Amino acid sequence: MALLRPLTPLALGAMISACAQADPSGSPLAEAWLSGRSVVVTMDVVPNNTSETYSDFAHYLNEFATSVDDSWAFFNQDSRSTRNRLPITIDVEVPAYSVLFMKKGKAKGYLYPGPIVEPQVYNFVQRTFEGRDIPGYLYQFKPDEVSIEATQNGEKFNIKRTRP
């Protein structure tokens, strides 16, 4: 794990930057959503080489991102920045390092409040979005369900927690 720490911020930054390049036809998030890609949005991720939690979070996120194909898109929402903000409004408070999963055509998305440090969370969401069987043990790693309201052209997304 110690060997990965110096590379983790670079890899995470490169992955998010590559996925968030501007496109003249609209936001990259809207483009990914409209094309039917599964979208992963990390919230307020700030690289911190001295934090074991950040290191674990970045490791599992990078491991997941490199294990999936290009039908997945990754973004980072920085609520402190006005530059390159994603068109997402979340109607619930979410701590830093939370992760939002959404896909057009799915009745619900998922929101994991805080850093994901169990790879089974990614496995659950991946299997759900890809329509694959979910082994019973993975249900304990299921993130909170959220409803995704999106404009037809994907220019704005409103995320609300669903009621059980």
Side-chain angles (χ1 to χ4, degrees), residues 20-63:
Q21 295 299 313
D23 179 74
S25 64
S27 82
L29 177 65
E31 185 178 299
W33 169 269
L34 291 170
S35 70
R37 295 171 75 189
S38 297
V39 174
V40 180
V41 180
T42 56
M43 308 289 177
D44 297 325
V45 173
V46 178
N48 180 350
N49 289 334
T50 62
S51 166
E52 187 173 343
T53 300
Y54 168 76
S55 233
D56 290 345
F57 166 77
H59 170 74
Y60 290 122
L61 175 62
N62 287 332
E63 187 175 75

Side-chain angles (χ1 to χ4, degrees), residues 5 13 26 40 69 72-73 85 88 92 101-102 104 110 115 120 132 137-138 144-145:
R5 282 191 180 145
V40 180
D69 61 21
W72 288 79
R85 278 196 68 128
I88 296 175
V92 295
F101 302 91
M102 56 188 202
K104 185 177 181 184
Y110 296 99
Q120 296 90 338
R132 296 171 30 212
Y137 77 91
L138 279 181
D144 297 337
E145 292 182 5

Side-chain angles (χ1 to χ4, degrees), residues 38 40 63-69 71-72 74 101 103 106 110 119-134 138 143:
S38 297
V40 180
E63 187 175 75
F64 176 67
T66 59
S67 74
V68 294
D69 61 21
S71 66
W72 288 79
F74 296 82
F101 302 91
K103 183 173 182 174
K106 295 293 180 184
Y110 296 99
Q120 296 90 338
V121 175
Y122 293 111
N123 192 354
F124 176 88
V125 174
Q126 181 181 16
R127 287 173 173 271
T128 300
F129 281 4
E130 293 176 358
R132 296 171 30 212
D133 289 337
I134 302 171
L138 279 181

Side-chain angles (χ1 to χ4, degrees), residues 6-21:
L7 298 176
T8 301
L10 294 174
L12 180 62
M15 175 188 70
I16 290 170
S17 173
C19 293
Q21 295 299 313

